[in-house]
Amino acid sequence: MEQPSSHLKIRRANGVSVVEFADRKILEELSIQEIGEELRQLVESEAGIKLLLNFKNVDHLSSAALGMLITLNKKIKEHNGKLKLSDINRQIFEVFKITRLNRVFDIHETSQQALAGFQS
Amino acid sequence: MSVPEDFSVDEASLAELVAPSDLRSAKASGDRILAELARHKYDSDTIFAIKLALEEALANAIKHGNRNDPSKHIVIRFHIGDEHAAIMVRDEGNGFRPNAIPDPTANTNLERPYGRGIMLMYAYMTKVHFNEAGNEVWMLKENPTRPPAKSKSRSLRR
């Protein structure tokens, strides 16, 4: 079931909250704070949350977005949950590599692979 | 500060925008520059790089330079040509020392949620210069797919 949300599309799959971004420009500076807040509320609503962020609709991000993701990752760990990222395009993945954040985040090529990772 | 010498950009060719110091106005200015890049047929990777660096420069100017004071302004000067794109962003703040920012890729800093903007600007642009005060940054990006010089294409057609 999809929950209405201004920036995020959220569905459940095998006990995992799968989050997609509602539009391509979503990780621009302007909307970051609001997205961070929506994700924080989602994490706090479920102890031990398994959260998959699907980046298939994302074609831009900024250092503010990276900061938001780092803060989210810490929050999820505090709540004994797990965060995985998937479907990151080549240009965006390059940003993760340049900043070495590909070592901080659990990144999978596809959402299917990420979902399987939650079950193992 | 005038255009850095090694940019090889004529001062007279620069366009100037003055925008109120808020993210929405900055985005509108940024969109004008992105439209110019598209008009000059820059490729997707180069536009991605310039957009990223420009957004970091604008965010720094608004948040750290002008400290989110909406009564202040940012000044953007730019020249988008077939060979390269040059962009300057200046704020009304006291500036900072770019060298004093810790390396965000060091293991001890990897999980800090801030401090990556300047590093990304250096990583994605061909040249980046700050003025001495640190409230003005000049960035240059070479166009890797620039069309051949006109005289050459003419001779090819003959």
Side-chain angles (χ1 to χ4, degrees), chain B:
Chain B
M1 178 176 167
S2 52
V3 194
E5 267 181 35
D6 60 346
F7 277 25
S8 306
V9 170
D10 182 3
E11 189 99 26
S13 72
L14 294 167
E16 183 169 299
L17 301 171
V18 179
S21 190
D22 65 77
L23 289 173
R24 202 165 291 277
S25 305
K27 181 170 166 19
S29 301
D31 285 348
R32 270 189 63 177
I33 293 175
L34 294 177
E36 276 295 295
L37 295 170
R39 196 170 70 79
H40 284 268
K41 298 189 166 43
Y42 279 59
D43 67 23
S44 157
D45 282 354
T46 309
I47 291 179
F48 180 88
I50 296 172
K51 182 178 179 184
L52 182 59
L54 176 59
E55 189 171 293
E56 298 299 342
L58 292 170
N60 277 343
I62 292 165
K63 292 198 274 192
H64 305 301
N66 289 343
R67 297 186 180 274
N68 292 310
D69 179 348
S71 71
K72 292 189 170 170
H73 292 82
I74 46 174
V75 178
I76 303 165
R77 301 177 80 193
F78 62 96
H79 164 81
I80 312 297
D82 287 339
E83 291 191 356
H84 51 221
I87 304 171
M88 180 282 276
V89 176
R90 182 171 66 231
D91 60 59
E92 297 182 53
N94 296 326
F96 73 112
R97 286 184 299 132
N99 295 340
I101 293 176
D103 176 5
T105 65
N107 285 339
T108 48
N109 299 332
L110 264 189
E111 296 203 46
R112 284 190 183 180
Y114 46 81
R116 291 177 180 78
I118 304 292
M119 178 263 190
L120 286 170
M121 287 158 62
Y122 279 107
Y124 275 94
M125 298 301 273
T126 312
K127 290 174 183 173
V128 177
H129 290 308
F130 285 87
N131 68 347
E132 206 170 326
N135 71 330
E136 179 177 321
V137 62
W138 285 86
M139 304 183 289
L140 183 91
K141 184 72 175 177
E142 302 282 0
N143 179 6
T145 56
R146 65 177 178 269
K150 278 177 186 164
S151 56
K152 217 175 189 177
S153 59
R154 265 190 221 118
S155 64
L156 283 173
R157 265 188 239 123
R158 272 177 201 153

Side-chain angles (χ1 to χ4, degrees), chain A residues 25 27-30 59-64 66-68 70-71 73-74 77 90-92 94-95 98-101 103-104, chain B residues 23-24 27 31 44-46 48 51-52 55-56 59 63 104-107 110-117 119-120 123-124:
Chain A
K25 298 189 187 319
L27 289 188
E28 286 184 353
E29 196 71 37
L30 265 173
D59 62 12
H60 180 74
L61 90 173
S62 64
S63 66
L66 294 172
M68 181 273 285
I70 289 168
T71 304
N73 198 27
K74 283 184 187 165
K77 281 183 187 165
R90 178 183 56 79
Q91 289 173 335
I92 301 277
E94 190 68 22
V95 181
I98 286 172
T99 52
R100 293 184 73 227
L101 288 175
R103 292 166 178 246
V104 171
Chain B
L23 289 173
R24 202 165 291 277
K27 181 170 166 19
D31 285 348
S44 157
D45 282 354
T46 309
F48 180 88
K51 182 178 179 184
L52 182 59
E55 189 171 293
E56 298 299 342
K63 292 198 274 192
T105 65
N107 285 339
L110 264 189
E111 296 203 46
R112 284 190 183 180
Y114 46 81
R116 291 177 180 78
M119 178 263 190
L120 286 170
Y124 275 94

Side-chain angles (χ1 to χ4, degrees), chain A residues 20-82:
Chain A
E20 289 178 14
F21 300 97
D23 78 71
R24 292 194 171 275
K25 298 189 187 319
I26 208 72
L27 289 188
E28 286 184 353
E29 196 71 37
L30 265 173
S31 40
I32 278 303
Q33 278 192 335
E34 290 167 17
I35 292 170
E37 180 57 24
E38 279 187 53
L39 287 168
R40 187 186 64 79
Q41 286 175 13
L42 180 67
V43 168
E44 290 186 345
S45 71
E46 183 183 348
I49 191 169
K50 294 173 179 172
L51 182 62
L52 169 57
L53 281 186
N54 185 321
F55 274 67
K56 74 174 181 184
N57 288 333
V58 178
D59 62 12
H60 180 74
L61 90 173
S62 64
S63 66
L66 294 172
M68 181 273 285
L69 291 172
I70 289 168
T71 304
L72 179 73
N73 198 27
K74 283 184 187 165
K75 191 97 192 157
I76 289 173
K77 281 183 187 165
E78 280 170 23
H79 286 69
N80 299 314
K82 277 185 186 166

